[in-house]
Amino acid sequence: MAESNALTSFSILVLHGPNLNLLGLREPGIYGDVTLASINDRLEQEGRSLQVKVATFQSNHEGALVDVIHAALGVHQGILINPGAYTHTSVAIRDAIAGVAIPTVEVHLSNVYRREPFRHHSYIAPVAVGQISGFGADSYRLGLHALVQHLRQQTP
Ligand code: DQA
């Protein structure tokens, strides 16, 4: 069936920015005690139930994230990104997302708008489909659902 082929053909790239490799240890009062490996496992499982492929990547380096976004062209149809601190500083990541024009959803474990003022500005949000912030590890699951729904609505 053409429709079910379309459903299984989406591949989603999940990107985690700096310090997110420390999840589980890092400021658990803010970020919770779930590890990055466990978040990735849950996303892969959720991907199977949504019938999409999920590929994950974490880096502490801005250029590495830019390279992976460029390499997503023609391979992945959507990007789910927690840019970590680069949210608030990176014109390069914003330009990479705008450059490849792959629909992107921005997620944050913490509610960045309840935190320090420097976290209230996102360079990524203006080039994203939308942003989910404040639901802990569940922000990723909600973001994946929102992204897949967006892609399905866009695809004839
Ligand atoms: C974060 C929020 C950022 O401000 C912070 O620098 C992070 C994590 C979050 O998921 O809540 O590293 O993106």
Side-chain angles (χ1 to χ4, degrees):
M1 275 190 330
E3 194 182 338
S4 71
N5 284 340
L7 287 179
T8 49
S9 67
F10 290 131
S11 176
I12 308 298
L13 176 62
V14 179
L15 294 179
H16 308 280
N19 301 306
L20 294 167
N21 54 310
L22 294 181
L23 285 178
L25 293 173
R26 177 192 183 200
E27 300 181 87
I30 296 175
Y31 298 115
D33 55 10
V34 184
T35 64
L36 189 63
S38 157
I39 289 174
N40 286 339
D41 284 351
R42 289 180 198 182
L43 286 171
E44 280 159 20
Q45 205 178 316
E46 203 69 31
R48 281 192 288 278
S49 75
L50 288 168
Q51 294 181 278
V52 297
K53 287 182 204 150
V54 170
T56 61
F57 179 79
Q58 187 275 332
S59 180
N60 295 319
H61 303 277
E62 187 175 27
L65 292 161
V66 169
D67 285 344
V68 166
I69 292 167
H70 292 177
L73 254 186
V75 178
H76 302 289
Q77 289 70 48
I79 296 175
L80 184 69
I81 186 169
N82 182 348
Y86 287 143
T87 306
H88 320 298
T89 64
S90 183
V91 177
I93 292 175
R94 173 206 174 108
D95 285 354
I97 292 168
V100 297
I102 296 173
T104 297
V105 169
E106 175 185 346
V107 299
H108 299 283
L109 296 120
S110 63
N111 179 349
V112 288
Y113 301 100
R114 293 182 70 174
R115 300 182 62 196
E116 304 94 323
F118 68 82
R119 296 185 203 274
H120 297 180
H121 177 260
S122 168
Y123 278 99
I124 311 305
V127 296
V129 176
Q131 186 197 60
I132 293 173
S133 176
F135 296 94
D138 214 30
S139 290
Y140 285 94
R141 189 185 62 79
L142 295 167
L144 181 66
H145 276 260
L147 178 57
V148 170
Q149 185 166 320
H150 173 81
L151 292 172
R152 287 186 176 150
Q153 281 165 356
Q154 301 298 303
T155 309

